[in-house]
Amino acid sequence: MDTAKAVSPTLEAAASIEAIKVEDLHKSFGTLEVLKGVSLTANKGDVVAIIGGSGSGKSTMLRCINFLETPSSGKITIGGELVEMHTDGSPSNRRQIERIRTRLAMVFQQFNLWTHRTLLENVIEVPVHVLKVPKAEAIARAHELLKRVGLGDKADTYPAYLSGGQQQRAAIARALAVDPSVMLFDEPTSALDPELVGEVLTVIRDLAAEGRTMLLVTHEMKFAREVANHVVYLFEGRIEEQGPPAEVFGNPKSERLKQFLSSVT
Amino acid sequence: MAQSAELLSLSPPGWGGNLLRGLSHSLQIAFGAYALGLVIGLFGAYGKLYGGKVTRDLLAIYTTVIRAVPELVLILILYYVGSDIINKISTAMGGGRVEINGVAAGIWVLGIVQGAYATEILRGAIQAVPPGQIEAAKSYGMPALMTMRRVTIPAMMSFAVPGLANLWLIATKDTALLAVVGFNELTLETRQAASSTRAYFTFFLAAGFLYLMVTLCSGGIFARIEKWARRGQPSLKGGSR
Ligand SMILES: Nc1ncnc2c1ncn2[C@@H]1O[C@H](COP(=O)(O)OP(=O)(O)O)[C@@H](O)[C@H]1O
Ligand SMILES: [Mg+2]
């Protein structure tokens, strides 16, 4: 990042440090407007925590970023590359979307591991078949990643035989296998029994410490405060307040955020 | 007893060879029709789930009609209409009457019938795949066809195999219906042997035995396929984990 700092903040430099830029994102399901103009920038190395009540549009925003949902309007730029959209917000270039998606790794609340494949097979699936990495290389790397998330001895186990915490750690290994430029976490610990939350947070904390860029939707406020360098509070499809964690958590300005924080802690 | 053995002997004057040839024709047709049915079924299922309105309507007509009309009637219709059309085309192009190949005709006719059932089995199985698994593939940039091949089809297999096993057994037995259009599969060969020798009991018992063997072998094979398709799913019986 030294180079980026040295250069005066021209547009070009901005593009080279911007990992994700969302501008005026709208999304409606039928007549229900879920996102009402959200703008958000994450620079490389940023950990952006997204908090907000249930139904405030957190998942929808994350899903719009890799086009699992089709935005109704807005602009999305990933790593300096503007995603081509039709005027109705649908992606107009399927190949571009597929290429961009391989740089964004999503970790789901429900893990969504492929149940007919072992952990190792889950982790090598995308590198081998989508990214065309030689299989031997992908396998070696997958073993490393599984070891890293504490599942080195489970490579040949099927997901159904593992606890939720183990499955989520495997899902994180699968995400890391594509060497993503941004990781998108959608409430990665919400489906877990309380005693399993810690092991998953430890892995995510590790990734944050090594400078991974991530957007993290979470209900773990303590954790968000600790790992994030930027916090976004979403209320009914709008960003109600955002800023450094110390500000957002320590000195909230909006009444709604104050209420929200007191209700979750 | 000795007389029966003589009648069933593989070389003439025994009729055993004829029965086995009939069995082989039956299996060829069943196999071909089953494969054709699976291909039709896969396209049919995807068409019903993701196709446009016209595609869905046409498929609904196809599966409804085929499953409503008795198979024997369908076979008569498809066989005679099919050979009529082929002959019309052939004459129009200046050729003579075409000799319809029995095996090919049987495969087409039964395959179209099987396709309707396979469409419904596979549609249900695809819908039973947890959507999150397909979404995960999509979110990692997997193109649609690769997602189908690498995720949807393997994941739906465990839901589809029991129904598909039934469909295979129906295929083997439906071949007997082709006797009505004069095709020399096992049932027709048996009838000919029986009426030539008047040993009805012996021959139909032998044919029944052959059909039973096919069913038993198929059962064994499908049990293995099902075990493979269910890999990764803890068994209900074992329930300890
Ligand atoms: N596919 C969908 N169809 C219709 N409504 C949806 C769909 N997905 C989400 N919604 C609605 O959008 C709103 C926001 O949902 P979501 O983004 O999942 O909220 P959050 O993740 O913040 O809890 C909710 O009211 C939800 O019911
Ligand atoms: Mg959500």
Side-chain angles (χ1 to χ4, degrees):
Chain A
M1 291 301 89
D2 289 350
T3 49
K5 263 180 208 154
V7 182
S8 65
T10 59
L11 269 179
E12 213 169 287
S16 76
I17 60 165
E18 257 168 23
I20 287 189
K21 185 167 181 180
V22 176
E23 289 164 90
D24 200 26
L25 180 66
H26 288 256
K27 170 67 185 173
S28 303
F29 292 107
T31 55
L32 176 70
E33 192 173 25
V34 175
L35 296 179
K36 303 167 183 166
V38 172
S39 301
L40 181 80
T41 305
N43 289 334
K44 286 180 186 160
D46 275 355
V47 176
V48 178
I50 298 153
I51 60 173
S54 170
S56 57
K58 306 181 297 295
S59 298
T60 306
M61 186 181 96
L62 223 51
R63 292 162 58 80
C64 280
I65 288 176
N66 69 359
F67 288 82
L68 285 178
E69 300 287 359
T70 305
S72 303
S73 67
K75 266 167 77 176
I76 297 178
T77 313
I78 312 279
E81 183 177 350
L82 180 69
V83 180
E84 299 166 34
M85 289 194 238
H86 292 299
T87 44
D88 67 352
S90 58
S92 57
N93 184 341
R94 187 177 50 80
R95 287 176 170 274
Q96 185 195 29
I97 292 299
E98 282 167 5
R99 182 161 43 77
I100 282 181
R101 278 175 175 159
T102 64
R103 293 195 258 136
L104 304 172
M106 185 105 165
V107 175
F108 299 87
Q109 184 174 349
Q110 301 294 341
F111 331 133
N112 293 349
L113 290 169
W114 296 301
T115 50
H116 55 283
R117 301 194 189 284
T118 62
L119 292 198
L120 184 78
E121 289 166 345
N122 265 279
V123 176
I124 65 171
E125 181 68 19
V126 179
V128 170
H129 294 277
V130 180
L131 303 174
K132 312 291 180 202
V133 173
K135 194 162 179 188
E137 195 179 302
I139 289 176
R141 172 133 170 83
H143 279 297
E144 255 169 54
L145 290 170
L146 285 171
K147 203 175 293 165
R148 163 155 194 202
V149 299
L151 295 169
D153 55 338
K154 301 283 189 205
D156 297 323
T157 308
Y158 287 98
Y161 293 97
L162 298 173
S163 74
Q166 290 171 318
Q167 289 190 52
Q168 193 60 297
R169 284 186 277 141
I172 293 173
R174 174 176 71 176
L176 289 171
V178 303
D179 197 17
S181 51
V182 181
M183 298 183 79
L184 308 172
F185 290 87
D186 190 2
E187 300 196 34
T189 58
S190 295
L192 300 178
D193 292 336
E195 76 269 23
L196 302 177
V197 169
E199 64 190 55
V200 173
L201 294 187
T202 305
V203 171
I204 300 176
R205 185 181 292 120
D206 239 41
L207 295 173
E210 73 173 31
R212 289 258 170 207
T213 313
M214 39 189 161
L215 300 194
L216 170 69
V217 173
T218 184
H219 283 302
E220 302 283 334
M221 296 303 150
K222 248 186 65 200
F223 183 68
R225 183 171 192 159
E226 174 198 337
V227 300
N229 60 343
H230 191 79
V231 179
V232 171
Y233 171 60
L234 219 55
F235 179 83
E236 290 184 356
R238 285 200 179 84
I239 294 182
E240 172 91 2
E241 187 165 340
Q242 59 180 323
E247 284 294 309
V248 170
F249 291 112
N251 184 21
K253 309 216 165 28
S254 131
E255 272 315 308
R256 288 171 180 146
L257 175 56
K258 281 181 198 164
Q259 251 175 36
F260 173 72
L261 289 176
S262 64
S263 72
V264 291
T265 41
Chain B
M1 203 61 211
Q3 203 189 350
S4 291
E6 216 167 275
L7 283 171
L8 289 171
S9 125
L10 290 182
S11 49
W15 293 77
N18 290 30
L19 293 202
L20 287 186
R21 196 166 54 238
L23 176 66
S24 145
H25 281 150
S26 288
L27 287 178
Q28 274 176 45
I29 293 181
F31 214 79
Y34 190 62
L36 178 61
L38 286 182
V39 173
I40 295 176
L42 197 58
F43 280 100
Y46 266 90
K48 273 200 161 186
L49 289 172
Y50 304 108
K53 184 159 169 28
V54 179
T55 312
R56 289 204 311 265
D57 286 350
L58 288 177
L59 286 167
I61 294 171
Y62 165 62
T63 54
T64 310
V65 169
I66 296 284
R67 293 186 305 160
V69 179
E71 259 123 75
L72 187 57
V73 177
L74 281 174
I75 285 166
L76 290 170
I77 295 175
L78 289 172
Y79 184 79
Y80 287 115
V81 171
S83 41
D84 200 41
I85 290 173
I86 289 174
N87 274 310
K88 282 231 172 74
I89 294 174
S90 163
T91 334
M93 289 170 42
R97 277 191 72 80
V98 184
E99 194 56 49
I100 304 283
N101 176 315
V103 173
I107 288 176
W108 274 103
V109 172
L110 281 188
I112 289 172
V113 175
Q114 290 260 311
Y117 291 90
T119 296
E120 290 305 314
I121 293 173
L122 296 177
R123 180 186 59 81
I126 291 173
Q127 280 179 308
V129 175
Q133 293 193 29
I134 296 170
E135 195 155 78
K138 214 169 141 185
S139 81
Y140 282 94
M142 234 190 233
L145 269 180
M146 189 190 286
T147 303
M148 173 173 161
R149 190 165 53 81
R150 299 288 311 168
V151 176
T152 316
I153 292 178
M156 73 156 184
M157 282 300 274
S158 64
F159 304 109
V161 169
L164 294 180
N166 267 333
L167 201 56
W168 163 251
L169 293 182
I170 291 171
T172 60
K173 277 181 274 274
D174 274 3
T175 56
L177 297 174
L178 292 170
V180 297
V181 289
F183 181 64
N184 58 342
E185 44 62 66
L186 179 53
T187 299
L188 190 64
E189 291 283 1
T190 308
R191 210 165 61 192
Q192 281 169 352
S195 54
S196 312
T197 58
R198 310 260 146 214
Y200 290 98
F201 188 70
T202 307
F203 282 111
F204 279 101
L205 204 64
F209 174 76
L210 289 178
Y211 280 119
L212 180 65
M213 290 316 290
V214 170
T215 303
L216 290 178
C217 293
S218 308
I221 292 169
F222 271 102
R224 296 181 77 146
I225 295 178
E226 189 168 342
K227 191 163 168 241
W228 166 81
R230 289 183 55 85
R231 71 197 182 285
Q233 301 182 18
S235 78
L236 295 174
K237 263 188 315 199
S240 60
R241 296 229 235 173

